[in-house]
Amino acid sequence: MTDLEPVAPAQPVMPGWEYAPAPESKDIVRLQDRYGLFIGGEFVEPKSGRWFPTIDPSNETVLAEVAEAGEEDVDVAVTAARSAYVTAWRDLPGPERAKYLYRIARALQERAREFAVLESMNGGKPIKESRDVDVPLAAAHFFYHAGWADKLEYAFPAMRPTPLGVAGQVIPWNFPLLMAAWKLAPALAAGNTAVLKPAETTPLTALFLGEVIQQAELPPGVVNILTGAGATGASLVGHPDVDKVAFTGSTEVGKQIRRAVAGTNKHLTLELGGKAANIVFEDAPIDQAVEGVVNGIFFNQGHVCCAGSRLLVQEPVFEELLDKLKVRLGTLRVGDPLDKNTDVGAINSRAQLEKIGELVASGVEEGAVIYQPPCDLPERGFWFAPTLFTGVSQSHRIAREEIFGPVLSILTFRTPEEAVEKANNTPYGLSAGIWTEKGSRILWMAERMRAGVVWANTFNRFDPASPFGGYKESGFGREGGRHGLEPYVRLEPVS
Ligand code: NDP
């Protein structure tokens, strides 16, 4: 635009758009009635004899029955993993291990649509997220770690890395396939074998990953997948022949696992909860910040450990940001996860919906001011409207506890020092976001944040080469990058 061109008059707020339904077809997913446990390269009946239904949280229909692994099943799986470790995997040259990882990555890409649809059906997340984030990133993790498998000796200068043995890995329901990839890819690249326990509510993509592992012709037992509930996870973590435990989930269960592992020789990494601050300074580009705030808390219905669930706004721009945020919330489309236009899908389970409802009620009772845009929620299934709270004080439960839902608590600050103080005033320390146009301020803030990941003028960016993990009660150990390989190897100085 030249100086002579007239400046366009300010546009009125965009009128509401009517979107025609654009559902992704489910036909690409062929579900069986029942799925056994994936042990020793095969799907087998559980010795426990127990099965449980897994549902679509957007409409509560049963998708399939899956096996519930008991202690005996855990033992069979760990034995299969040990045997594969000793006979087939530990001593396999790195370039050979890499070939298998590349195969898994390519198969995930080939079956990307199927995995995306299934992830949305079983977990409730919008198809555009499973299609554009979960599945491509899961494939990227296998590609990235395939690249490390034959270069481990260069990853740790002057050290000789050797694998640990059998990894017992327990993952949550918010990113089922992606968390499986985060756990399995580095473990296998480093020469370990694995027993993976997906979350009770989202077992299906992990089981389909079992099929991919068959397709990739991994030696039987290198990867074993045990479906079940918390008791299955506890018995895996407690199995005496597991060398390494990797857990992602709640801080509460993380603490239990730490106690269970204490006094053993097991290696442990914990990736736990968060209560991240997304901090907007007065000089920030406000429209971009609004998008970042929305992405930070409403991505995946807020079921994200690093969600920007506390918004800290510098006082001079509070009103402007709040007005724009409210307008933006009104444009979020909540509904059918398989609709390509959906922004906010279903809550993952009834239990999670109840937890969100309870914390939101506590916010109202404690005196914060709630805002929800008008939105029609489907009658069946588990749903929660995008929610904001203003008038939040640091002592409110909604400012302290992980809600793990589409709920944003907004606080204000005056100075950068106050922003740091408030951002760090949490038992967690997983992530943070900073919005400002000053590079020096970004660095000043990032230095002072007790958070494993600090995003600047963006939020929720993930890359397999970038280490991810927490401070304080958000856990310890890193996943991704060279740092994420380290928890899967024993390092000895090269003599
Ligand atoms: P959990 O921490 O209970 O679940 C994570 C995984 O651990 C699941 O596979 C779970 O199995 C398993 N598990 C449960 N108990 C044990 C145990 N004693 N030993 C070993 N494994 C166990 O999370 P929830 O699903 O119960 O969610 C509760 C809250 O945790 C959420 O509201 C949210 O605030 C937080 N959360 C945080 C996550 C994060 O990434 N930071 C992820 C998920 C939840 P099962 O699913 O069968 O119970």
Side-chain angles (χ1 to χ4, degrees), residues 118 281 453:
L118 183 61
F281 284 92
V453 179

Side-chain angles (χ1 to χ4, degrees), residues 170-174 197-201 228-230 233-234 237 247-250 253 256-257 271-273 305 352 355 402-404:
V170 180
I171 56 171
W173 41 261
N174 51 346
K197 208 294 277 179
E200 185 182 350
T201 56
V237 165
F247 172 76
T248 298
S250 61
V253 173
Q256 287 172 25
I257 291 178
E271 199 269 89
L272 308 175
C305 46
Q352 189 59 27
K355 182 184 164 184
E402 188 177 45
I403 301 175
F404 228 60

Side-chain angles (χ1 to χ4, degrees), residues 70-155:
E71 273 193 30
E72 216 185 324
D73 299 297
V74 171
D75 189 50
V76 176
V78 173
T79 306
R82 172 67 55 194
S83 159
Y85 176 67
V86 174
T87 61
W89 201 247
R90 176 183 63 185
D91 301 320
L92 197 66
E96 294 303 311
R97 288 203 304 275
K99 281 184 197 166
Y100 290 107
L101 292 179
Y102 280 124
R103 278 189 208 161
I104 297 172
R106 282 196 300 268
L108 281 176
Q109 286 185 325
E110 280 159 17
R111 295 176 63 174
R113 205 165 135 241
E114 180 189 2
F115 269 96
V117 172
L118 183 61
E119 198 71 307
S120 287
M121 284 167 71
N122 200 196
K125 63 174 65 196
I127 185 74
K128 68 178 175 192
E129 292 178 8
S130 42
R131 181 195 63 198
D132 298 345
V133 181
D134 296 62
V135 177
L137 267 179
H141 269 267
F142 281 105
F143 274 122
Y144 173 78
H145 286 94
W148 272 122
D150 60 351
K151 299 175 198 69
L152 287 177
E153 59 189 296
Y154 307 107

Side-chain angles (χ1 to χ4, degrees), residues 177-371:
L177 179 69
L178 185 57
M179 288 302 106
W182 277 32
K183 295 280 178 286
L184 292 174
L188 302 189
N192 305 278
T193 56
V195 181
L196 177 83
K197 208 294 277 179
E200 185 182 350
T201 56
T202 52
L204 292 178
T205 46
L207 292 166
F208 274 48
L209 183 61
E211 288 177 8
V212 163
I213 281 158
Q214 285 178 326
Q215 224 179 314
E217 297 182 347
L218 253 78
V222 170
V223 173
N224 306 275
I225 299 166
L226 297 181
T227 45
T232 307
S235 104
L236 175 59
V237 165
H239 194 286
D241 206 25
V242 163
D243 301 291
K244 151 87 192 164
V245 172
F247 172 76
T248 298
S250 61
T251 295
E252 189 191 343
V253 173
K255 287 179 180 176
Q256 287 172 25
I257 291 178
R258 194 162 189 190
R259 279 194 287 272
V261 164
T264 70
N265 285 330
K266 290 174 190 170
H267 296 245
L268 178 65
T269 39
L270 296 174
E271 199 269 89
L272 308 175
K275 193 73 189 172
N278 211 352
I279 306 166
V280 181
F281 284 92
E282 61 181 325
D283 64 345
I286 296 295
D287 290 335
Q288 278 112 303
V290 167
E291 288 309 304
V293 169
V294 166
N295 171 273
I297 186 62
F298 300 115
F299 172 63
N300 200 25
Q301 297 74 247
H303 300 330
V304 184
C305 46
C306 53
S309 51
R310 285 182 302 150
L311 172 61
L312 304 187
V313 190
Q314 201 161 16
E315 280 186 4
V317 287
F318 171 69
E319 295 293 343
E320 182 189 356
L321 187 80
L322 183 62
D323 288 348
K324 289 191 166 177
L325 210 46
K326 285 182 175 173
V327 171
R328 183 67 179 89
L329 248 64
T331 67
L332 290 175
R333 293 174 296 264
V334 184
D336 181 6
L338 284 182
D339 192 310
K340 283 169 256 185
N341 290 321
T342 293
D343 298 305
V344 180
I347 299 303
N348 182 264
S349 64
R350 185 180 297 284
Q352 189 59 27
L353 182 62
E354 284 167 4
K355 182 184 164 184
I356 296 167
E358 197 247 317
L359 275 160
V360 165
S362 83
V364 175
E365 272 162 34
E366 289 184 323
V369 180
I370 188 169
Y371 173 80

Side-chain angles (χ1 to χ4, degrees), residues 400-423:
R400 291 185 288 116
E401 295 181 29
E402 188 177 45
I403 301 175
F404 228 60
V407 182
L408 181 66
S409 301
I410 308 180
L411 298 96
T412 57
F413 67 92
R414 292 181 187 171
T415 63
E417 289 78 7
E418 188 186 345
V420 170
E421 187 88 5
K422 284 186 168 163

